[in-house]
Amino acid sequence: MKRIAAVVWVLLLALTACGSGAAEGGQHLRVAWRSNPSSLDPQRGNSGSDHAILYTMYDTLVSFDPKTLEPAPGLAESWNQDDPTALVLHLRPDVRFHDGTPVDAQAVKYNIERAKGPKSNIKSDVAGVTGVDVLDARTVRLNLARPDSSLLLTLADRAGMLVSPTAAEREGDAFERNPVGAGPWKFVEWRYGQLVRVERFPGYWQRGLPHLDSIDFTIMKDGSTAVNALRSGQQDMVFNPPPQDVGLLSAAKGTKVAAGPQLYQLIIYLDLSAPVFRDRRVREALNLALDREQILKVTQFGQGEPGWTPLPSDHWAFPKSAVPTYPHDPDRARRLLAEAGHADGLRFPLLTYPDPVNVRLAEVLKYQLGKVGVQIDLIPTELTQASSEFFNERKYPALLSAWTGRPDPGLTYKLMFTERGYYNAGHVATPGIDEALNAANGTADLAQRSEKLGAVARIVADQSLFVPLIFPNAVAAYREHVQGFEPNLLGKPKFTTVRIQR
């Protein structure tokens, strides 16, 4: 019977490919992508730049509105929360993973339990889930330790990217090289450091989508190389090209540019357990030493805004009153360093990326910090390696990188600043932050949440838990035959509505 069922499934896929859901012929998109994925297993990767590739292969339990980031139906067509400590998800009928196995309540239970497992990098995302009950084939209940309004949009991120239990069990640690999800496209190949290719999944549940037959993500770490490939017609899309090239691309014949705000923020991550950063005064001094307006002007040609909190000013959870900021105050920075025992100066290594844009930013930081007696030794390192050396191996005390944003702001604060948060490299607890975050996540009212999340932002600023720098604009440049692209505030593109129109 199993063999017959498998044959029937293959026939259904073939019929679907010939039906109204089929994509137009020759719908192949070439995307110049800035970094190699850290993993194609959504639960074991550690880089925010993975998401655009992951979204092609994995649908999430919950989706989001691209402009507001409000929750929207995904693999779960609806949900209810009559009990504040339980979230009940109602799954869509007849959805299949790429291997033909069902996307059902048992699969959701498997994924949540796997996300909480020892090899997961997203344990803190679902730490508040105490258990999963399968109510029927299409209904699952997540039991919570306490009310948590951030969980819904947490399921629009890695925690909601469902993997096939059958494939995950079969492949084990090799699953990241043989991923199986339920997204619009299925995995074809990953040439490490060169290319990730996906092909349209004919059994995708959204009829008529996707339009593209296939997508090639060509790994191009150098932004100028990617821009040249776009202009010559070798690539169809480029994201976040070097700022100095944006004007050129806007004026170029046959090329379009879309730019707007995003959650992506350039920052310096600090390992608070490292001796050099244990004293809050040192961390505050770093923040006061920096002129963010100058950083924005020099590195982004003024396109974007200074960063004070992990959220940009147009986000609903950005503090509307008493915004915590760091004025450019080199004199106070020097006094704080002296009080902390560094009157003769301070020196530490800083991991950074070797591409020209990040090198320019690092040099500006080195200059500004040097004016208050702080010397930084730049350690240029490829993105995936740098992330591992900082967050996993903890070889260095600081990393110049980015926070790529999460659909729910509560998840951002949890991952970056709570003791168990993956991006809190030293896993140092900050007094009061858990209580403030729990209070914010204890209400679903946006006005109340915004006010309470503002209190979390002030704790982060008072303790100088990181060094926020700037929010550059999100920029997508593409050839004019690329149609239907919809940018989102998250700054992590999805391609489901994109088509090629020649």
Side-chain angles (χ1 to χ4, degrees), residues 11-238:
L11 289 173
L12 285 173
L13 291 186
L15 288 171
T16 305
C18 297
S20 61
E24 297 88 340
Q27 292 282 306
H28 176 67
L29 184 71
R30 301 162 300 172
V31 179
W33 197 245
R34 60 186 174 275
S35 62
N36 195 59
S38 62
S39 173
L40 295 183
D41 183 336
Q43 298 179 3
R44 297 184 182 177
N46 60 14
S47 174
S49 62
D50 296 346
H51 282 66
I53 297 176
L54 295 176
Y55 281 141
T56 66
M57 293 177 277
Y58 301 99
D59 261 5
T60 50
L61 281 167
V62 178
S63 188
F64 54 80
D65 181 278
K67 295 181 180 179
T68 65
L69 299 186
E70 294 178 1
L75 292 173
E77 62 181 359
S78 64
W79 50 82
N80 59 277
Q81 201 163 10
D82 299 331
D83 178 347
T85 58
L87 176 64
V88 178
L89 302 173
H90 305 279
L91 305 178
R92 295 182 183 279
D94 304 321
V95 178
R96 298 272 176 169
F97 289 106
H98 300 156
D99 59 5
T101 57
V103 177
D104 56 14
Q106 287 290 350
V108 175
K109 178 180 174 67
Y110 174 88
N111 273 265
I112 297 297
E113 292 176 347
R114 185 174 186 262
K116 293 172 70 69
K119 294 184 178 181
S120 170
N121 277 341
I122 59 169
K123 289 189 286 289
S124 61
D125 296 27
V126 291
V129 179
T130 58
V132 183
D133 296 329
V134 173
L135 304 184
D136 59 46
R138 289 178 49 206
T139 313
V140 62
R141 179 173 60 215
L142 308 186
N143 301 305
L144 312 179
R146 63 178 61 85
D148 184 4
S149 56
S150 73
L151 179 60
L152 199 58
L153 279 172
T154 296
L155 299 178
D157 204 76
R158 288 181 180 269
M161 295 181 184
L162 297 190
V163 308
S164 162
T166 301
E169 288 298 301
R170 180 183 67 243
E171 300 292 341
D173 290 343
F175 180 80
E176 72 166 3
R177 290 299 189 130
N178 301 279
V180 178
W185 295 272
K186 59 184 179 179
F187 173 74
V188 176
E189 67 172 323
W190 179 12
R191 281 181 259 154
Y192 195 87
Q194 300 179 55
L195 176 79
V196 176
R197 175 172 292 161
V198 295
E199 287 183 355
R200 180 179 175 275
F201 175 49
Y204 186 54
W205 61 270
Q206 292 198 66
R207 289 185 62 80
L209 293 177
H211 303 297
L212 298 170
D213 291 319
S214 58
I215 306 175
D216 277 359
F217 292 91
T218 306
I219 310 305
M220 293 186 171
K221 298 175 183 178
D222 182 81
S224 296
T225 300
V227 168
N228 290 335
L230 178 72
R231 297 186 67 198
S232 66
Q234 297 174 55
Q235 296 292 314
D236 300 307
M237 296 192 80
V238 172

Side-chain angles (χ1 to χ4, degrees), residues 420-492:
R420 289 188 291 177
Y422 178 81
Y423 297 94
N424 176 357
H427 299 293
V428 173
T430 298
I433 200 163
D434 287 318
E435 293 79 3
L437 187 55
N438 288 338
N441 291 339
T443 176
D445 182 90
L446 281 188
Q448 293 183 28
R449 277 200 84 200
S450 178
E451 181 181 352
K452 293 179 184 296
L453 286 169
V456 181
R458 283 184 279 279
I459 293 174
V460 171
D462 289 344
Q463 296 299 315
S464 293
L465 299 183
F466 77 134
V467 183
L469 299 173
I470 56 175
F471 288 95
N473 281 343
V475 178
Y478 46 93
R479 306 290 294 179
E480 62 183 0
H481 58 253
V482 176
Q483 304 288 323
F485 173 67
E486 296 180 355
N488 60 62
L489 181 59
L490 189 61
K492 299 176 182 181

